[in-house]
Amino acid sequence: MRARDPEKRRRDFKEVALGLTQAQALKEAKRCLQCKKPRCVAGCPVEIDIPRFIAAIREDDFKGGLEVIRKCNMLPAVCGRVCPQENQCQGRCILGKKSKPVAIGALERFAADYEVTSKAPDAPVSIEPNGIKIAVIGAGPAGLTAAADLAKLSYDITIFEALHEPGGVLTYGIPEFRLPKKIIHREIERIKKLGVKILLNWVVGRTQTLDELFEEGFKAVFIGVGAGAPKYMKIPGENLNNVYFASEFLTRVNLMKADQFPVYDTPVKRANKVAVVGGGNVAMDAARTAMRLGAEKVYIVYRRTEEEMPCRLEEVEHAKEEAIELMVLANPKEIISDERGYVKAIKCDRMVLCEPDESGRRKPECSGEEFVLEVDQVIMAIGQTSNPILVRSVNGLNTWGAGYIVTDNEGRTSIPGIFAGGDISTGAATVISAMGAGKRAARAIDSYIKELSLAKK
Ligand code: FAD
Ligand code: SF4
């Protein structure tokens, strides 16, 4: 896919990847073999009929292709940009066995973006509401998908969202240069057209409890509150001035527009030399954001090697093109302070890789050597964990690990009528896996309501 020149893009927040041209999309779509038993579909957590949407594109019916996608996925322009297709649909494409798989993600993005440029009018929505109220907690990909699918089944859906904007990580975590906000807004507006209501600034567990929602007449609840709380390394110096946790750093810039301070009220500390600790998508996003805020030097400090990095290949390639330096086999052990309590440097152990651990990746161990890297800002991006506000407010809800909700594959929790899915039940995962969970839970909620209605007759 075409991308903007790294020299120019690393200092602004405009989108980096430019998408396929119409000619490229047609050529790519024609590579698809239209398999009778398409392996790609089995790799898609929301079960898009991939050969059908590609067939429509080859016939120049871009809008038709998008309609096929939208039957299963109401966030195609988002997924076409951020899904790790290489591990999912594309990873299973039969063509990948001998050469390059079909670029399914890029085609999905093309179909979604084409609709905007073509300005084709929307087909009118005609849903006969059944008046049964279902509450969805959290407007991230899991909640939005559950809400859209339930609305299509005629339910009266209200989403309760803690922040002042919907979208979850799509809005507050993933930066504008990867996923422009207008794209998220457009897809959410379409979900609202299905009749879904979104109440913002509404922290369920504080503003209102689940019990109160049931008392107000909601017949079932889907919890999709994600895993947005930061994880700590618990090393000395983690509380110094100018140490950020990636979720806070990214939220300041993405949601609160701190890059435009003082036009917007929220500031963010700009630094010259920044160390970002971690090797996932969050670390890449934080590093590339720090570069765009004007840092002269940005390091990614990661304890394994580039090969083991959990981020998408495209993200690390883009980061390197933008002059971000990978400092691999390095594990921070202390953040060093200057005399005023601000970050001055980060001390790291040099690591070596040993036998694979339970994650299947080779385990890093200290080599016995250490080194000091002079930096004036550290951003910790070693993962996120569950936020306890809602979970702790519900009696009898079974949890595992750090407060994640136990569910079956369809999102049923230990309490009848309460369903959950996405990062709050799996731990930090992906946009599409959260959407898949929302979809399965919507089906289970529909069955639950039907059983409830039958029992009452
Ligand atoms: P979330 O997206 O976290 O949404 C949960 C929502 O619930 C939030 O809006 C939150 O404000 C709200 N909420 C929380 N508590 C309450 C409450 N008590 N009451 C009301 N509302 C509440 N995945 C990919 O596939 N590709 C990527 O490129 C990618 N990049 C990422 C980059 C970053 C910086 C981060 C942090 C994650 C990234 N991920 C990526 C992971 C992906 O975004 C998540 O797995 C996904 O968003 C999980 O969706 P969710 O709906 O479960 O939760
Ligand atoms: Fe087309 Fe690949 Fe899917 Fe076969 S597996 S239908 S070639 S995208």
Side-chain angles (χ1 to χ4, degrees), residues 92 222 346 406 428 442:
R92 306 248 187 130
F222 174 77
I346 184 165
V406 176

Side-chain angles (χ1 to χ4, degrees), residues 29 31-41 50-52 54 58 89-90 92-96 100-104 107:
R31 290 181 60 231
C32 173
L33 302 176
Q34 293 291 303
C35 305
K36 287 266 170 330
K37 287 190 185 155
R39 293 160 51 105
C40 53
V41 178
I50 294 168
R52 239 182 96 211
I54 296 181
R58 323 159 36 132
C89 52
Q90 254 166 250
R92 306 248 187 130
C93 170
I94 189 82
L95 289 181
K100 276 192 178 172
V102 175
I104 301 167
L107 289 173

Side-chain angles (χ1 to χ4, degrees), residues 108-176:
E108 182 180 24
R109 172 184 167 151
F110 169 79
D113 289 357
Y114 181 83
E115 180 187 54
V116 180
T117 45
S118 71
K119 298 197 172 79
D122 275 356
V125 182
S126 70
I127 296 173
E128 193 64 46
N130 64 13
I132 300 174
K133 289 187 352 171
I134 314 277
V136 171
I137 321 298
L144 289 169
T145 304
D149 280 20
L150 285 163
K152 286 181 191 168
L153 291 169
S154 296
Y155 291 100
D156 177 357
I157 308 300
T158 307
I159 304 184
F160 298 87
E161 166 55 49
L163 295 174
H164 62 276
E165 291 218 22
V169 171
L170 307 177
T171 301
Y172 76 77
I174 302 182
E176 179 80 16

